[in-house]
Amino acid sequence: MCDAAIAECEGKLAKYKQLYTGEGTPTNPAACKQLLHELKVLFTTFPTFLNPSADSATRIKEISLVREAMENSVLLAAATKNTDDFAQNFEILRVYYTDFKDEPKSERRLLILGLHLLRLLAMNETRAYHMELERIAVEDHDNMYIKDVVQLERYIMEGSYHKMLQARSKVPSAHYVPLMEMLLVTVRREVFKCATHAYEELSVEGARKLLMFDNTDDLRAFVEAEKERRGDEVMGWVLEGDKYKFVHNEDQDDRLPFATVISNNLGYANELQRIV
């Protein structure tokens, strides 16, 4: 039974690689996801599936196939910005990275771990990010896939926006690009929220710099999209001439200075002070 299942898995993995090489955005993500789902169903017939202590005549092959497919699942989720799928597949893959210690380490392990850290940053889950970083061996922190994400988090906490933007073009792998795009959106949304509570008015040019856009058209589109997304939560961002106006409650005289508001959210004060 295992031999037949292994042969079928190998055939499906080969077909998957024809559909998606792993770089860039897949042309048919639905077909890729379906193949990976079919593989996971077949994996349940493996004695070693999520069971490190199980004996099997085909143990090494089983572990290799499952690990490769789960890595592909994580990379597909990153490429399509599906954070839920990423988290679910990563947790299964984690077992193969930590519990099957008698097997050679995967060449893609540190790439996947770096993507996991970047996903947590992009979702603004800073506590989980630091917990996961502590789980990674210290000797691996100098690896480019880990080191680049750690440096990125420092840029964010320092408020070094320009360095963060520059990092987008220097990612260690093309797999990082979609999650970097998500991270930028997260940062913009946090800054947008903080500005709402910190300003009475802000020039369009100042807002463009603050939210890191290359042109005012993109800025205006973002502001309108955020106002629609947040609904009644947004107090202001009303465009009057060349300035955005903000509405505050009359009893809101104790508004925090902008640097303090930003610091309380993501620690972005330094760079914002310089560019506004």
Side-chain angles (χ1 to χ4, degrees), residues 105 136-143:
K105 290 183 178 180
I136 298 174
V138 174
E139 59 266 26
D140 289 332
H141 285 203
D142 287 334
N143 179 274

Side-chain angles (χ1 to χ4, degrees), residues 2 11 16 22 41 49 53-54 57 62 71 98 107 117 133 155 157 166 176 198 235 249 261 263:
C2 271
Y16 178 87
V41 172
F49 183 62
S53 61
E62 291 171 27
E71 286 177 337
T98 60
E107 293 181 357
L117 293 176
L133 182 60
Y155 289 155
M157 296 311 296
Q166 291 170 359
Y176 280 58
M235 301 293 289
N249 296 329
V261 175
S263 181

Side-chain angles (χ1 to χ4, degrees), residues 150-168:
V150 171
Q151 185 61 67
L152 187 63
E153 192 262 349
R154 288 174 183 161
Y155 289 155
I156 293 173
M157 296 311 296
E158 293 170 357
S160 299
Y161 280 117
H162 296 303
K163 291 181 180 178
M164 187 191 77
L165 291 174
Q166 291 170 359
R168 287 190 301 172

